[in-house]
Amino acid sequence: MGDEHLRAPSGSRVASAAQFDVAVIGGGVNGTGVARDLALRNLRVVLFERNDLAFGASGNSSGMIHGGVRYLETNPSVTKTSCRDSGYIQQIAPFLLFRIPFLMPIAEGKKGRVLLELIDAYFRAYDDYQPLKHSELHTRLDSSELLQLEPGLVGRNAGGVTFDEWGVDGVRLCVLNAIDAEEHGTKLYTHTTVESVSKDEDAYVVSGRDLIDGRRVSARARVVVNATGAWSPITASLGGLPASRVRVRPGKGIHVVYDRRLSNYGVLAEAIDGRQIFAMPWQNVTVVGTTDDDYFGDLDDVVSTSEEVRYLVQGVARVFPAIRSARAIGTYAGVRPTLYEYGKLEDSLSREHAIVDHEADGSPNVFSMIGGKLASFRLFAQEMADRIARDLAPSSVCSTHTTPLPGGDSVPDAIALAERHELTPVMAKRIVFRHGSRAAAVLANLGRDPKAREVVCPCEPVLGAEVQHVIRKEHARTVDDVARRTRLGLGACGGMLCAERCGQIVARELGLAPSVGREQAHRFLARQAKMRAPALGPEQAVQEALALAQRRAVGP
Ligand SMILES: Cc1cc2nc3c(=O)[nH]c(=O)nc-3n(C[C@H](O)[C@H](O)[C@H](O)COP(=O)(O)OP(=O)(O)OC[C@H]3O[C@@H](n4cnc5c(N)ncnc54)[C@H](O)[C@@H]3O)c2cc1C
């Protein structure tokens, strides 16, 4: 990166900085994906993540490895690559994907019949891509079939179509990529923000600071990859690179979460401005999403607003009114690192990805990865890794589409696991969903440590054994990190039943003072309440604030 700008911060241990082939900045799906690809090619990789793995867009997406049906019209190549890569992701992590069949009702009215014909034809074109992602072909429905499948639908409909997509836990996808990279030699620094990238004779020096304990770390690397999503222009400027070369158009999207699965199918609806939104059964909750608005705020503190919630609920309620009486338990929000274009509406922006080679900026072997989708992350990572390997490992080939992610070699029988370990079937199923064949390793502590058998989070449910596992094996360092990896505290109780207990376990496992675990728990509860507030009415919000204050005053 432009040498004159690049100085290592005082106090860092540059002289003793470890030597790597590649330094990856950013622990979202693109950063962890490229780290894994490079590590599988035997390159020495270091990855820095400023917050936690999947903290950004990757952990706050709609959680769909979808084929991008709406891009078929404007960007058919995005649809094709998403579908093909979706097939690969199913191959390497079969335990982590779940089917989400969708319904698209078509309102009657003057043009209803014609629209149904057109949409039916559109989905026939989409059907061509379905074998790539092992999905069912679409079905055309008349209005009574529509109601039979989803009795909660209202309005006079000409008919509708079904189509098939796949859900995924985006956080687990990032964590598993990171863990596989680590198991192939990658050094992971989470909660470590990169503060500068400088250049000495033959390498770049990437210097970071651990935001939890203040420790400074440095790494020397021949290649640097900026995979910091919506933060990418800021990260580029840390190394003196022109931010204008890494242009993204940050697009904020929020989701509202309901306490249970409210429908059999994902239901598409139209928002007041004609944009497409949805309500879908996702894992054991319902998720309503999503907005897409230009974002100019703090990327490390993205919160939903009640206006955004109302926009979504209004649109969904027109076709599925039960949403109004359902119990919202939270919201979440993320920022898309969409490729920059001026003058277009947010949701018509391209979802393609791009690699920026900073050689033209005087920084050879520095790259920025921008744009893309969860659904095509593996391909994007492969393109980046192929480019790097051209110089560093010319005979290597990509194997991320054939090598299973951790736990992806087989899917254990959850019922047998439940019987063997005397767990409820739901518990065992959820552990298998998150860990695949490594579920046995997660449960290995059950016989040895009575605390491992404790149900820490009854809503999800999450066992003590899993909390221990994600702290010991998956770099969870806070209550928030445990929640991200296990969904502890993200259910109906909002963490009131489990956050403090989780804080005790985190403190004990990491050798911290109990007060640190307690403080972490309270921070988690406060954040959850802040994210839930926009989805609640004013009276519920007051109740929430009181409950939280009481919890803080009384302590565990
Ligand atoms: C609301 C929403 C819905 C979406 N739905 C879908 C979907 O259903 N399907 C789909 O395929 N795609 C979806 N996407 C798109 C997809 O989530 C993103 O394209 C993808 O996750 C981007 O990944 P990333 O790794 O580039 O960025 P991120 O996941 O944002 O990762 C960037 C990381 O960089 C870290 N970082 C920043 N600065 C520094 C620094 N100085 N040092 C170290 N680390 C740093 C951040 O903490 C962050 O974790 C959605 C996105 C949003 C926001």
Side-chain angles (χ1 to χ4, degrees):
M1 298 187 164
D3 302 48
E4 70 278 20
H5 300 279
L6 304 173
R7 287 185 312 277
S10 59
S12 70
R13 296 187 298 271
V14 175
S16 59
Q19 178 74 50
F20 296 91
D21 294 313
V22 186
V24 177
I25 311 173
V29 79
N30 290 328
T32 57
V34 78
R36 174 182 192 239
D37 192 320
L38 294 164
L40 287 177
R41 299 177 198 232
N42 290 323
L43 289 169
R44 290 162 304 161
V45 182
V46 57
L47 184 144
F48 295 90
E49 164 51 51
R50 166 207 196 86
N51 296 290
D52 184 21
L53 298 170
F55 173 88
S58 307
N60 291 289
S61 78
S62 306
M64 271 190 281
I65 292 292
H66 57 66
V69 63
R70 73 194 180 97
Y71 312 124
L72 191 57
E73 193 184 340
T74 48
N75 285 96
S77 66
V78 173
T79 305
K80 187 167 182 188
T81 49
S82 298
C83 287
R84 184 182 304 118
D85 238 47
S86 167
Y88 287 140
I89 297 166
Q90 285 168 55
Q91 210 165 300
I92 60 174
F95 60 96
L96 200 59
L97 268 67
F98 49 95
R99 263 191 78 203
I100 311 182
F102 272 89
L103 284 182
M104 182 186 224
I106 314 291
E108 220 170 45
K110 259 200 288 186
K111 295 192 185 140
R113 297 267 148 215
V114 179
L115 209 56
L116 184 58
E117 292 301 331
L118 288 174
I119 286 173
D120 188 27
Y122 188 85
F123 275 93
R124 270 204 298 276
Y126 189 46
D127 282 346
D128 287 349
Y129 300 100
Q130 298 315 303
L132 293 172
K133 62 185 180 79
H134 314 296
S135 293
E136 304 289 333
L137 303 185
H138 93 286
T139 320
R140 178 178 167 153
L141 306 168
D142 64 27
S143 55
S144 67
E145 288 166 333
L146 201 60
L147 275 183
Q148 219 175 338
L149 292 180
E150 202 52 76
L153 286 174
V154 295
R156 296 170 71 85
N157 289 307
V161 293
T162 65
F163 63 100
D164 213 23
E165 299 293 6
W166 293 93
V168 72
D169 186 321
V171 175
R172 296 294 316 159
L173 193 60
C174 293
V175 169
L176 294 174
N177 272 290
I179 295 306
D180 203 36
E182 183 174 50
E183 289 177 1
H184 288 85
T186 295
K187 177 77 190 158
L188 293 183
Y189 290 109
T190 60
H191 293 282
T192 302
T193 188
V194 167
E195 294 187 321
S196 73
V197 181
S198 56
K199 184 148 172 31
D200 65 15
E201 307 88 62
D202 56 353
Y204 291 96
V205 180
V206 180
S207 302
R209 184 166 50 91
D210 188 312
L211 295 174
I212 294 182
D213 63 19
R215 213 163 34 100
R216 289 187 181 281
V217 288
S218 288
R220 300 178 84 250
R222 295 156 74 188
V223 175
V224 178
V225 177
N226 169 15
T228 51
W231 289 260
S232 295
I234 304 171
T235 310
S237 65
L238 294 176
L241 292 171
S244 58
R245 286 264 294 137
V246 192
R247 290 195 103 173
V248 292
R249 186 158 155 197
K252 178 186 175 193
I254 77 137
H255 296 85
V256 190
V257 185
Y258 292 83
D259 67 342
R260 67 197 65 191
R261 293 167 71 100
L262 300 167
S263 55
N264 301 318
Y265 285 74
V267 175
L268 294 189
E270 223 172 62
I272 191 164
D273 53 4
R275 292 185 191 190
Q276 199 168 73
I277 55 175
F278 59 82
M280 64 174 174
W282 192 88
Q283 299 204 39
N284 39 19
V285 292
T286 292
V287 171
V288 167
T290 176
T291 57
D292 193 347
D293 295 302
D294 285 314
Y295 183 69
F296 303 95
D298 181 356
L299 292 168
D300 291 290
D301 186 21
V302 187
V303 286
S304 316
T305 66
S306 54
E307 290 77 14
E308 289 163 327
V309 171
R310 287 210 293 273
Y311 166 88
L312 291 174
V313 173
Q314 178 196 50
V316 168
R318 278 166 62 88
V319 291
F320 193 74
I323 203 74
R324 287 214 186 271
S325 47
R327 180 174 170 215
I329 57 170
T331 69
Y332 62 93
V335 180
R336 301 170 182 84
T338 325
L339 297 182
Y340 183 85
E341 274 181 273
Y342 196 92
K344 274 193 171 177
L345 283 180
E346 295 93 328
D347 66 349
S348 54
L349 291 167
S350 160
R351 262 42 176 181
E352 297 216 56
H353 56 243
I355 294 172
V356 180
D357 183 340
H358 291 290
E359 181 152 20
D361 308 313
S363 295
N365 298 321
V366 177
F367 303 94
S368 292
M369 297 173 76
I370 48 175
K373 300 205 54 69
L374 211 58
S376 48
F377 85 93
R378 197 212 57 80
L379 184 75
F380 191 13
Q382 178 180 347
E383 286 169 15
M384 184 72 261
D386 281 345
R387 172 69 191 81
I388 293 170
R390 229 162 56 193
D391 300 328
L392 298 191
S395 57
S396 70
V397 287
C398 177
S399 61
T400 54
H401 53 313
T402 50
T403 310
L405 278 165
D409 49 339
S410 63
V411 184
D413 177 349
I415 302 301
L417 204 67
E419 275 165 20
R420 191 165 344 119
H421 292 284
E422 295 182 40
L423 305 173
T424 65
V426 172
M427 227 172 236
K429 279 196 163 186
R430 299 299 295 154
I431 290 174
V432 168
F433 169 70
R434 288 190 283 269
H435 301 275
S437 65
R438 295 202 173 179
V442 175
L443 298 172
N445 245 1
L446 286 185
R448 296 196 283 262
D449 179 357
K451 291 196 186 77
R453 192 166 275 284
E454 175 190 350
V455 180
V456 182
C457 168
C459 303
E460 175 50 32
V462 180
L463 284 174
E466 192 177 359
V467 178
Q468 292 170 341
H469 178 86
V470 299
I471 297 170
R472 292 175 192 173
K473 305 284 184 194
E474 294 187 352
H475 292 266
R477 294 172 65 190
T478 66
V479 170
D480 210 35
D481 296 358
V482 172
R484 208 170 272 116
R485 284 157 184 73
T486 62
R487 300 190 59 74
L488 169 145
L490 303 184
C493 85
M496 286 296 195
L497 296 176
C498 58
E500 283 158 347
R501 178 67 190 121
C502 178
Q504 288 176 327
I505 302 174
V506 172
R508 194 186 60 225
E509 286 287 324
L510 298 178
L512 306 168
S515 59
V516 175
R518 217 160 38 239
E519 188 46 43
Q520 282 187 9
H522 290 160
R523 261 205 308 276
F524 172 79
L525 289 173
R527 174 80 188 166
Q528 287 300 105
K530 186 173 169 184
M531 293 304 282
R532 197 162 41 244
L536 305 178
E539 281 154 26
Q540 267 176 298
V542 169
Q543 289 300 319
E544 277 258 317
L546 284 173
L548 206 63
Q550 187 203 25
R551 185 54 69 99
R552 202 166 245 289
V554 174

